[in-house]
Amino acid sequence: MKARLSIPRYLPAQCILFVLMLQTASGQQWERVHPDYPTDDITALVHWNGDTVFASGYNNMFERSTDGGAIFTSILKQSVAYSYLAAASDGRSILLLPSPSYFTTTEINDTTNIFLFSFDPASNEMRRISVPLPFAFSTGRLAVNLSANSKCIAVMPMRRPLKIALSTNHGTTWEIVTPPDSLGQYGNVHFRDRQHGLIVCNSVKDINYHAYITTDGGVTWTKVPDVSLPIYSY
């Protein structure tokens, strides 16, 4: 069957059923590899290696498939049920962004700043990584953009003024980068490495989204010409 990509602005909240598919070389044909799967709770899919993929979501959902998505099994057995609003891989671990809306003072003492969970697929161990940026809330949920690869982790709360936390050592230390003042508070960020980054964000001057790139680690940003997306188009 032919695939038509249509991504709502708040995809996790609008999903009803989920099917994991594999794309052929042509990019037009898709093969269904997972049966209908209820995903009102799924927030992210992260490819690890080979046929291994992880799925995160609300209500303590964190699952792993080692057969290309045919079967998913739950990983977490902890009694405290978190919700994971985003997930990414830095090549060493799966990074999970938990929601503070489910926390109590007995579970997490510090709900002031962002933190991530880092899951090691080899040992099945989870550790906590602190990020020196404040939480951001939107309609009762944590609104933070997370991206990662083997060279850089980027974390950006959806609040003004925008700040981006970057780590090149898998979350051991962080540096803070400031995007252009003209940007609003809703968008996405990705850094290929510590120097080269991209941000797509709404503007405080109009209703459109704009793209900016940096090649010097966020010291300066250049607006990508001829990129102006309607606010609900991505």
Side-chain angles (χ1 to χ4, degrees):
M1 63 179 179
K2 292 186 178 181
R4 180 178 181 271
L5 182 62
S6 178
I7 303 178
R9 185 181 180 189
Y10 299 108
L11 179 60
Q14 297 180 6
C15 285
I16 299 177
L17 295 178
F18 164 71
V19 289
L20 183 63
M21 298 179 177
L22 293 179
Q23 185 179 19
T24 64
S26 67
Q28 298 299 317
Q29 300 298 318
W30 297 79
E31 175 191 356
R32 179 176 298 188
V33 297
H34 194 288
D36 290 343
Y37 194 91
T39 62
D40 48 321
D41 284 348
I42 287 183
T43 57
L45 289 171
V46 180
H47 177 253
W48 180 245
N49 57 35
D51 290 331
T52 301
V53 62
F54 290 85
S56 66
Y58 298 120
N59 303 316
N60 212 37
M61 179 185 177
F62 185 43
E63 301 184 352
R64 170 169 42 198
S65 172
T66 58
D67 54 11
I71 299 175
F72 280 87
T73 56
S74 180
I75 298 172
L76 301 178
K77 305 298 182 183
Q78 59 197 49
S79 58
V80 178
Y82 300 106
S83 283
Y84 301 104
L85 305 186
S89 170
D90 65 354
R92 290 188 181 181
S93 63
I94 302 296
L95 302 171
L96 297 166
L97 175 69
S99 167
S101 60
Y102 289 81
F103 297 164
T104 68
T105 55
T106 58
E107 296 166 4
I108 300 295
N109 294 325
D110 179 15
T111 58
T112 303
N113 292 320
I114 293 172
F115 70 88
L116 307 174
F117 283 125
S118 175
F119 176 79
D120 183 352
S123 64
N124 287 336
E125 294 182 353
M126 188 89 80
R127 67 185 179 94
R128 176 175 167 174
I129 298 176
S130 297
V131 182
L133 285 174
F135 281 127
F137 291 90
S138 175
T139 62
R141 297 195 181 279
L142 179 65
V144 176
N145 183 257
L146 166 67
S147 70
N149 55 45
S150 61
K151 295 182 179 180
C152 191
I153 303 172
V155 179
M156 184 179 72
M158 302 292 100
R159 63 185 298 170
R160 284 185 50 82
L162 287 177
K163 299 289 184 181
I164 303 171
L166 300 176
S167 175
T168 57
N169 53 14
H170 304 280
T172 302
T173 59
W174 297 86
E175 299 176 69
I176 305 301
V177 170
T178 302
D181 293 336
S182 60
L183 292 179
Q185 62 182 13
Y186 298 108
N188 289 275
V189 63
H190 178 76
F191 270 73
R192 186 181 68 188
D193 51 39
R194 178 59 185 86
Q195 299 300 314
H196 300 83
L198 166 71
I199 184 172
V200 179
C201 198
N202 70 317
S203 172
V204 297
K205 299 180 180 179
D206 55 48
I207 63 172
N208 294 323
Y209 278 70
H210 303 282
Y212 289 81
I213 59 173
T214 180
T215 58
D216 56 12
V219 177
T220 60
W221 294 82
T222 302
K223 185 177 180 180
V224 179
D226 301 325
V227 175
S228 181
L229 305 175
I231 193 168
Y232 291 111
S233 67
Y234 79 101

